[in-house]
Amino acid sequence: MSTGIPPKFWNCDGEVVDKVGACGCNGTLEAPSTSIVAEWHLICESAWIPDFITSIQMAGMLFGNLYATQTSDWYGRKYSTFSTILVCALGSAVAAVAPNPYIYAVARFFCGAGFSGYLSISAIYTIEFMPTKWRMLCGAVGPFGEATMSLALIAYYIPTWRYLTWATMTPLLLTPLIFPFVPESPRWLLQKGKTDDLVKVLTYIAKINKCPPIELETIEKIVAKANPTRKPTDVKEPRLNFFDFAKSKNKEIRMKAICLMAIFFAFSIIYFGLSFNIKNMNGNLYWNLVFLGFVDSVGFKMAIFVMGR
């Protein structure tokens, strides 16, 4: 919302002019709007910069998806999830104080990386706590659309883009408070053969749900079944990466992954195309954002009735 909204009217030495007149202004040019376009005069020969910043942010999202999913396999879901939140928070903080569009663009790259990384890992993270029957709820009941609608309300009362950036990043600063209470993914611990940590996590989950803890013998059998060819603990196993996936002989999994990537690629073009182009839509900007969030909210909830059938 703050990256590319050009003011309709400008003030050139006390005279109100439109965008064309602003390009020909030889005096002091000001605008009442609070977007980066108005603050840094990103019009005329600099009109390409706001959209280019958006492209840089999307490049950050691509990078975030790659690094976050890889590190989550290497170091665990918990630490990777909170690291993406930290990256997003730091990027937002730098963006809020950026003195020029160049620093702002770099900051938005890290915002995109942290945001997309969080989306990727959090989906896996929550699913691995759920039984197969209920996994579809993890992506369907999340308040993504509701958050978009609330953003419209926040932006309405905090129109200055710097203050809005600080306001929207404030919840990120609170996440360290819940870090000690969030356990590591039991599924990831199981795959890595970390029996001791797995016992602690399952015991903690059983305590929260007021259920009897799982016996150690049962957990060891589950670990042994999940890792029948696991090497001894004193042997360091190789870290798998995307190239290992590409070279995998399991053609079925690879084909499914490619199909899912194609589906998400098409979805992203439509979704982000509409979201980033909301500045050019007719009507009230804030109401358009509310409607966008409402469609998100309804669409996610409707998915509950079609997934798993």
Side-chain angles (χ1 to χ4, degrees), residues 3 41 49 59 85 91 177 254 258 270:
T3 56
H41 298 172
I49 294 179
I85 295 174
L177 298 177
R254 184 164 59 245
I258 292 173
I270 298 173

Side-chain angles (χ1 to χ4, degrees), residues 53-66:
I53 291 176
T54 300
S55 298
I56 292 176
Q57 177 177 305
M58 295 303 294
M61 294 187 69
L62 173 62
F63 175 77
N65 271 313
L66 295 175

Side-chain angles (χ1 to χ4, degrees), residues 130-138:
M130 303 291 287
T132 306
K133 179 181 179 181
W134 302 106
R135 286 180 179 177
M136 62 182 179
L137 294 178
C138 295

Side-chain angles (χ1 to χ4, degrees), residues 219-240:
I219 295 177
E220 290 177 343
K221 290 181 179 179
I222 295 174
V223 173
K225 184 177 180 180
N227 303 277
T229 60
R230 186 169 182 82
K231 298 177 181 180
T233 54
D234 59 339
V235 178
K236 186 176 181 180
E237 293 190 357
R239 289 179 173 177
L240 300 179

Side-chain angles (χ1 to χ4, degrees), residues 166-204:
W166 284 117
T168 52
M169 70 162 287
T170 300
L172 301 178
L173 302 178
L174 302 177
T175 53
L177 298 177
I178 65 173
F179 183 82
F181 306 101
V182 179
E184 180 55 87
S185 163
R187 179 66 182 174
W188 183 81
L189 294 172
L190 176 64
Q191 288 298 114
K192 297 299 180 180
K194 297 179 178 291
T195 306
D196 293 339
D197 293 332
L198 180 59
V199 170
K200 294 178 182 179
V201 168
L202 293 179
T203 302
Y204 174 73

Side-chain angles (χ1 to χ4, degrees), residues 231-303:
K231 298 177 181 180
T233 54
D234 59 339
V235 178
K236 186 176 181 180
E237 293 190 357
R239 289 179 173 177
L240 300 179
N241 53 46
F242 294 105
F243 297 104
D244 296 304
F245 168 74
K247 294 183 294 185
S248 173
K249 296 181 180 180
N250 194 326
K251 296 182 179 180
E252 182 180 356
I253 293 180
R254 184 164 59 245
M255 183 57 63
K256 287 182 178 180
I258 292 173
C259 290
L260 289 173
M261 285 189 286
I263 292 172
F264 195 75
F265 178 80
F267 163 79
S268 298
I269 290 177
I270 298 173
Y271 182 81
F272 289 109
L274 288 173
S275 300
F276 290 139
N277 198 49
I278 197 171
K279 63 183 181 181
N280 297 320
M281 293 182 180
N282 294 327
N284 183 276
L285 171 66
Y286 304 105
W287 277 113
N288 288 342
L289 194 59
V290 169
F291 294 144
L292 178 66
F294 178 76
V295 172
D296 267 350
S297 179
V298 174
F300 278 115
K301 305 304 182 293
M302 290 180 62

